[in-house]
Amino acid sequence: MTDITQSSEFVPDDSPGDGGRISAKSAARVGAASITAAAAGIVILFLTSHALSPADNAEFLSFWAALFFVCGVLGGVQAETTRAVGAARLKTDSATAKGARVFTSGLIVGLAAAVVIAALSPLLTTFVFHQDAALVVAALVLTAVLFSCHATLAGAAQGSDQWTLFAGLVSLEALLRLGAIALAAVATASLVGIEMACLAALAAWLLVLLVSPGARSALAAKGDVALPRLLQNTGHALLSAASSAALIVAFPILLKLTTSPADYALSAPILLAISLTRAPIMVPLQAFQGVALSEVVKNPHDGWRTLRKPLGILLAMGVVGAIAAWLVGPWLMLIFGPSYAVAGWALAALTLAAVLMAVLTLLGTIVIGLGQHRAYSAGWLTATVVAVVILLLPAGVEVRSIFSLSLGPIAGILVHSLAIARMIRARRTESAS
């Protein structure tokens, strides 16, 4: 983990507005942070599978999904903040002076999200959470406010090319969560204790803010547009992030709402398999998203071309990963206990589904980086609608999960691909004329 007590570490890694690419050293730091976050998530799943019964672990995975759904939705704040700060750095001083402070926007969004969650609490306590429901909802309300500020800082760091700051924030958040959950698993081994321990990660941005002048500078940054427009853009990003989060992190909740209680109580193995096949791909990719978005914002004409190689790598990883999952995955699942057996073909299919989700995410990054917020929203909404419709079909939990997580992203990929193709054609026509 980056040593956040060394404030000199938290300085811009690239000169402002130079349009240059992220340095190899900075990319390595972001990569190391994303690996740390992915590893911490897998260890947490291992700890909870041993500390809790399968039924309690299924309940914990619902809370885990809800927690990261809130964080995933507020990831829209991070994406728009990255774009707004990056775009503002490319403008003249007079144009930038009219922009709103991104922290103001982030705080407004966080408070609004907290109000929405509180208003939905009767539904959440009736249909989703059945143990310590009031405490769980209160935790989600607190998460909405604090994580929105965290997302604003992360986005401002990315937009201002402070990649070491961003990497330190990612690492610290993951390690705080892991440490607190490990302590709770040893000290209490109770469901509610482990759930509340997840909140420790919300202190990450505050700790970084206390010790890092660079972080305080980033949080004071302005965007490229006034507050009403910034909130409007963030609204589009939130809508898209809600759709993506529903598929990426909140899938257990969708499954719970479309499955009988008796069947869902037995779903912990497939839910764990979904998380394990997805984490090695999606967690690093989500950290890399900021790098990709920054590249596209800096160079809207050709920046998207730099993502063709990562797309090829993703597809290659999917094929190799699927084969490995089929051959050794069933034995690895047994590490979590004899109750977590999953067939090799299912693990292979879930691995390919995770790759499809990653491709959708990366294409969406290109679309929003080019300023096409509506197309970005349309792609994710299409993917979510298709996924939910498939979950409503009469089939087993395993089959519904695999087809939902595969066909939904494919539909979204088609929408985003068409949007990118239209933009390329429009620019070629513009250049020709």
Side-chain angles (χ1 to χ4, degrees):
M1 189 186 92
T2 303
D3 183 3
I4 64 168
T5 63
Q6 301 297 319
S7 60
S8 61
E9 288 288 299
F10 293 91
V11 296
D13 298 282
D14 302 287
S15 60
D18 63 1
R21 295 179 180 176
I22 180 174
S23 67
K25 188 176 181 181
S26 298
R29 287 170 176 163
V30 174
S34 63
I35 292 172
T36 298
I42 291 173
V43 173
I44 287 171
L45 295 176
F46 176 81
L47 291 173
T48 58
S49 70
H50 283 76
L52 303 172
S53 68
D56 277 351
N57 197 32
E59 190 69 24
F60 170 76
L61 290 172
S62 291
F63 168 76
W64 182 261
L67 180 70
F68 279 92
F69 176 73
V70 173
C71 295
V73 172
L74 294 173
V77 173
Q78 181 174 327
E80 178 56 23
T81 301
T82 300
R83 188 210 62 77
V85 172
R89 293 171 70 215
L90 300 176
K91 289 188 173 184
T92 62
D93 291 339
S94 59
T96 303
K98 299 177 182 178
R101 294 194 181 278
V102 291
F103 181 69
T104 302
S105 174
L107 186 59
I108 291 173
V109 171
L111 291 171
V115 171
V116 170
I117 294 170
L120 293 175
S121 59
L123 295 175
L124 293 173
T125 55
T126 302
F127 297 106
V128 181
F129 305 116
H130 305 297
Q131 300 186 42
D132 302 294
L135 191 58
V136 167
V137 172
L140 295 179
V141 169
L142 180 64
T143 297
V145 178
L146 293 181
F147 191 81
S148 186
C149 298
H150 175 107
T152 303
L153 177 57
Q158 292 175 320
S160 57
D161 289 334
Q162 297 196 62
W163 296 108
T164 304
L165 168 60
F166 173 70
L169 190 62
V170 170
S171 297
L172 183 60
E173 179 202 10
L175 293 175
L176 283 175
R177 185 182 298 111
L178 173 60
I181 289 177
L183 183 63
V186 172
T188 68
S190 68
L191 174 61
V192 67
I194 291 175
E195 288 174 337
M196 294 304 104
C198 293
L199 302 182
L202 297 175
W205 73 279
L206 291 168
L207 294 174
V208 171
L209 207 62
L210 284 174
V211 302
S212 170
R216 293 191 288 273
S217 174
L219 205 58
K222 289 185 176 182
D224 62 329
V225 292
L227 184 60
R229 179 61 184 275
L230 184 59
L231 289 171
Q232 181 183 3
N233 287 347
T234 303
H236 282 293
L238 290 173
L239 179 62
S240 307
S243 301
S244 63
L247 292 179
I248 294 175
V249 293
F251 188 77
I253 294 179
L254 295 179
L255 190 62
K256 188 173 187 177
L257 293 173
T258 55
T259 305
S260 68
D263 287 339
Y264 186 80
L266 302 174
S267 66
I270 193 66
L271 292 177
L272 182 61
I274 291 170
S275 296
L276 291 175
T277 53
R278 182 177 285 173
I281 298 172
M282 290 304 303
V283 174
L285 178 65
Q286 287 172 323
F288 173 73
Q289 265 186 286
V291 178
L293 183 55
S294 180
E295 290 291 322
V296 177
V297 170
K298 287 177 183 177
N299 189 3
H301 291 286
D302 296 309
W304 64 272
R305 297 180 187 274
T306 63
L307 302 185
R308 290 184 296 184
K309 185 176 180 180
L311 280 170
I313 293 173
L314 274 176
L315 295 174
M317 285 176 58
V319 174
V320 174
I323 294 172
W326 193 318
L327 295 177
V328 302
W331 284 273
L332 292 177
M333 288 296 298
L334 294 178
I335 295 175
F336 294 87
S339 301
Y340 291 89
V342 178
W345 69 267
L347 293 170
L350 288 172
T351 301
L352 292 175
V355 172
L356 290 172
M357 191 75 72
V359 171
L360 174 60
T361 301
L362 201 51
L363 291 178
T365 299
I366 296 173
V367 173
I368 197 173
L370 294 171
Q372 301 296 313
H373 292 80
R374 286 184 175 83
Y376 180 66
S377 300
W380 278 109
L381 282 173
T382 300
T384 303
V385 169
V386 171
V388 171
V389 168
I390 292 172
L391 284 178
L392 295 172
L393 297 177
V397 169
E398 204 168 61
V399 172
R400 284 188 295 129
S401 297
I402 291 170
F403 277 98
S404 175
L405 291 172
S406 300
L407 298 182
I410 288 174
I413 287 170
L414 291 174
V415 174
H416 281 164
S417 297
L418 289 173
I420 293 171
R422 283 197 301 269
M423 286 182 277
I424 293 173
R425 283 197 302 269
R427 285 182 177 169
R428 284 176 179 171
T429 302
E430 183 180 314
S431 299
S433 60

